Structures are given as C-alpha cells and as structure tokens.
Amino acid sequence: MFYSSTPILALGAISLLASAGHAEANRREPQIHNSRRQAPAGFVEVPLAELQMLQSEYSTFHGWMTAYLSSANSTDPQTAQLNQDVLAYDMWINIFLSKYANSTNAPAAALTPAAAATPAASSTAAAPYAVVANSSTNGSFSAQSSSNLAVYYGQSPATDQFTLEQMCQDQNVDIVVLAFLTTFFGPAGQPVINFGPATGGTPTLGAQKINATGLLDCPYLAKNITTCQSLGKKVLLSLGGAAGVTNFTSDAQATSFATDLWNLFGGGMTNSDLRPFGSVKVDGFDVDNEDHSTKYYDTFVSSLRNTYAGDKSKQYYISGAPQCPRPDASIPLGSMQTMDFVFVQFYNNAAAGCDIGQPGFVDSFKAWSSDLSGNGTVAGGGPKLYIGAPACEACAGKGYLEPANMTSVIKSAMMAGVKNFGGVMLWDGSEAKNNTGVEGDYLQVVKSALD
C-alpha cells in the first residue's frame, strides 16, 4: 500500500540523473565508432546503450505504476496525487529521451498511464526545440510595442514536448500565458490550477495542511518562470478557460479573491507555503472568463489592479481574452478598458462573421480598437489590441489559417490605421512550434509578419 508517491518517483529520478551524469562524463571522452547518438546543437552526446537502459528501466517502472493505478481507488486523494506525479514524471522522461534520440532509431516513446487518460500527442509533432545557448539577449518585449507575440502554454497535447523555458528561449515569443487557473473556489475555498502536462504533482505544503488539493506544487515551472523573466519575457497566469468555474457572488468576494491571487502568485506573502511557484512572482494575470456572466468583474479587475501597488520592484500587467462578437458575454468592456493587453479570440466565432479570414474581420478589428481606446488610466491611453488566432488546424473548431493567409490577415490589420495594435496571440505556443513548413514554424511566420 502506498502512502506517499515520493519514494516511487525518487527511484525513477535516480535513474534519470544517473544517465544524465553519464552523459556529462562521456562528453569529455573521444567518440568511439558509431556507439554514440548524434545530439542536436547545444546538447551533450548520450550513448545509445544508456538511452536504451533508461528506456527499459522506465518501461518497468511505468508498467508497475499503470497496474497499480488501474486497480486503485480513483477517488482516493492519495491515488489522485500519485497519478498526477506519474503524469509529471512521464513528461520529463519523454522530454529527456526525445532530446537525446533521433527519429530513426530512438527508443520507443513511453506511454501515458491508462488511469490518467491524457490526450494523445499532436499529429504534427516534430523534434523538440533545441535549447538556445546564451540567449539572454533575445527578449524583445515592450508593453507599447505593436509587434509582440503572446502564446498560451500548458493545455495542448504538444505541451509535453516543450518546456516553458524552451518556449521563452524562442526569440519570436514575447509573452507566455500559463493556462489555466481553472477554478476560483475549489477545495478548502482555494483556487485550482491545471497546466496540463506541465502541471506539478502534489499540493504545496501549505495546501496539504488545509486539504486544498487544487493548489499544486510546481517548482519546475517556478524555475522556468525565473528563466523566462531573465530573458526579458513576461509570464502571465490565465484565469478561467472554456471549462473554467470563474463566477463571483458579490463585490466583496471579487475583492477578496483579487487579494488571494496576489498573495498566491504575485508580490504578496511571497514566503507563504501555499504558493505553487514558491517565492517566484508572475508578471500579471490574464482574465479568460467564458461563463457568460460579467457580474462583479469590474470590481475584481479594479481590485486586482490595486493590489499591484503593493510591489514597486517590478511592473505587473493585466490582460483579457474576450470572444470577437461585441459586446463580449463574459468580460465587461469597462474592465477591458483598464487592462494592458486584450487578446481578442478571432476564431470559433464563424457565425458572428468576425473570425480571421472572414469578410467581417477587419471591421470587427477596427470596432474593437475603438471600444478599447481612450482610457487614461492605462499608459498609452488604453490597452493594446491583439489578434487572437489558432496556431494549428486542430487548435480550434474554426479560424485556423495557413501561414500565407495568416500573414495577409496580419498585414491587413496593420494597414487598418489602428493606433492601439499590440500584436498577435496564439493558441498555443507548443502547437505553433510543431506547425512547421518551408518558412519555418508558425511562430516565425507570425513574428515575421509583425516586423
């Protein structure tokens, strides 16, 4: 009977670290015939035999855990936490193996535990993006720029192929939005976070004390956030999503929740053991309310903005992600006018005629620009307007455009005379990196069109 997942994961971690250690040692030895795997630029070389040994050991571990999880009580909290740990471990093992193996003779990919039932990998998957060495100069973010590229990260099938750090090391990316904080008031009245394959395992120490099982400990993501920020990229935490439970019952509740977010992820109470990212602070929050209720959101957004005054050490931002039909059914216009960025979802709204590629897109884009402009509470007179678009055909029901057509749409928006244009938002970054063609991946296509 298992009481904690830590010993189990420790066994796998030892195997992984041992192989990584061997890789570093062998890098200093001369190459012998073809026994070594050719590694991408920036990676160490790893002997094929050691990759196969790691795969074999992991397969045994994986089979053991799959059998146990299949027979365990799925409603038991400890089993649920163990399942999350195994999912997280799966991701890192697969990333490690795929980095050091080529596509023709790599060890078989590890399988996801049956009990987890996670989505299959993207059919457009390519080799993981190689880490860029000494890339601290590729941050190009400016809040007032009209060529920023924002990407969501955490929920797509391709997330397990790219770490958050790798996403930020891409010179085309300026803002990364973590998706999602899905529930405002979950177990013990605390938020629930779910970043898909990038999610941490067990709840934080403080969350365990009060049984707040949705506040997961994410030290690896925290480390990656720090790297992103050191590269000049901004990391926002998105609140909601299509399946989010994000409603308020009163102004008082909305104000209190804004303070809670600040204490859990922003500049407040950074020593709290409840915090999923420890003392690491995100750069702001993204409001992606999609529950078709705007009640108390004006209070929430203004209260969240007010909390920012509690930390003068850095600039914090607020963004919103409305649908393109106006007015948005879930985020009040008054709230959006006080934000820094608005990522309008110009997709999955074909019936309204405002999706990218539709005849009504440019008119809708101009109307959104007019709606958002002229607010003196935000630097520059109002929020920057972004074109929200899907990064692959499977990323949305309607609205995906092939690279050439997407370039045309961006250029048409840039020629529309909109002064508050900020750039493009893509759902999502991992799928964009996998969507490759003769002009590079989708991130490169979009960024090139913006420049």
Side-chain angles (χ1 to χ4, degrees), residues 29-317:
E29 298 173 359
Q31 186 166 338
I32 302 174
H33 304 296
N34 294 319
S35 63
R36 297 190 186 281
R37 187 70 47 125
Q38 182 64 43
F43 293 159
V44 298
E45 293 180 347
V46 182
L48 174 60
E50 292 186 3
L51 278 173
Q52 292 174 331
M53 179 181 69
L54 176 58
Q55 176 66 38
S56 176
E57 291 177 354
Y58 176 67
S59 296
T60 300
F61 166 79
H62 187 277
W64 178 28
M65 291 311 304
T66 300
Y68 171 73
L69 290 169
S70 298
S71 62
N73 180 4
S74 61
T75 62
D76 178 67
Q78 291 180 336
T79 300
Q81 290 177 14
L82 176 60
N83 190 59
Q84 289 176 332
D85 281 350
V86 173
L87 277 175
Y89 183 59
D90 273 350
M91 179 180 71
W92 306 131
I93 280 286
N94 275 296
I95 288 174
F96 180 84
L97 288 171
S98 57
K99 277 182 180 177
Y100 294 103
N102 62 41
S103 59
T104 57
N105 54 0
L111 301 174
T112 301
T118 54
S122 168
S123 59
T124 59
Y129 177 71
V131 176
V132 179
N134 300 319
S135 56
S136 60
T137 61
N138 65 17
S140 57
F141 170 81
S142 167
Q144 295 306 313
S145 173
S146 60
S147 60
N148 283 328
L149 177 55
V151 298
Y152 281 80
Y153 175 84
Q155 286 290 331
S156 79
T159 300
D160 61 357
Q161 298 176 48
F162 306 101
T163 66
L164 176 61
E165 182 177 69
Q166 288 172 307
M167 193 62 57
C168 290
Q169 286 173 321
D170 191 304
Q171 62 183 356
N172 299 297
V173 173
D174 302 294
I175 304 170
V176 180
V177 189
L178 299 176
F180 293 102
L181 187 152
T182 61
T183 303
F184 286 0
F185 307 103
Q190 296 293 324
V192 175
I193 57 174
N194 182 351
F195 306 121
T199 304
T202 60
T204 65
L205 180 60
Q208 293 179 44
K209 295 175 183 176
I210 61 175
N211 202 32
T213 55
L215 275 180
L216 302 178
D217 190 20
C218 303
Y220 192 84
L221 269 180
K223 176 180 176 293
N224 282 198
I225 291 171
T226 299
T227 299
C228 291
Q229 293 169 336
S230 72
L231 294 172
K233 311 303 173 76
K234 301 304 175 183
V235 180
L236 309 181
L237 174 60
S238 188
L239 315 172
V245 183
T246 53
N247 57 302
F248 299 109
T249 58
S250 68
D251 284 325
Q253 188 185 52
T255 300
S256 176
F257 184 66
T259 301
D260 290 343
L261 283 178
W262 179 244
N263 289 334
L264 287 170
F265 302 98
M269 297 182 65
T270 53
N271 62 342
S272 170
D273 59 4
L274 278 172
R275 292 171 63 99
F277 304 139
S279 61
V280 174
K281 302 176 285 188
V282 297
D283 296 298
F285 300 91
D286 171 63
V287 180
D288 188 17
N289 180 35
E290 299 187 29
D291 72 354
H292 293 175
S293 174
T294 61
K295 287 184 177 180
Y296 312 111
Y297 262 83
D298 283 327
T299 298
F300 168 62
V301 173
S302 63
S303 297
L304 189 59
R305 175 74 72 184
N306 289 338
T307 65
Y308 291 179
D311 183 7
K312 302 295 186 181
S313 67
K314 61 183 290 184
Q315 178 70 49
Y316 290 91
Y317 302 94

Side-chain angles (χ1 to χ4, degrees), residues 143-146 340-342 372 382-386 419-422:
Q144 295 306 313
S145 173
S146 60
D340 300 285
F341 325 116
V342 175
L372 296 173
K384 286 290 188 177
L385 170 62
Y386 286 61
K419 295 182 179 179
N420 54 354
F421 181 49

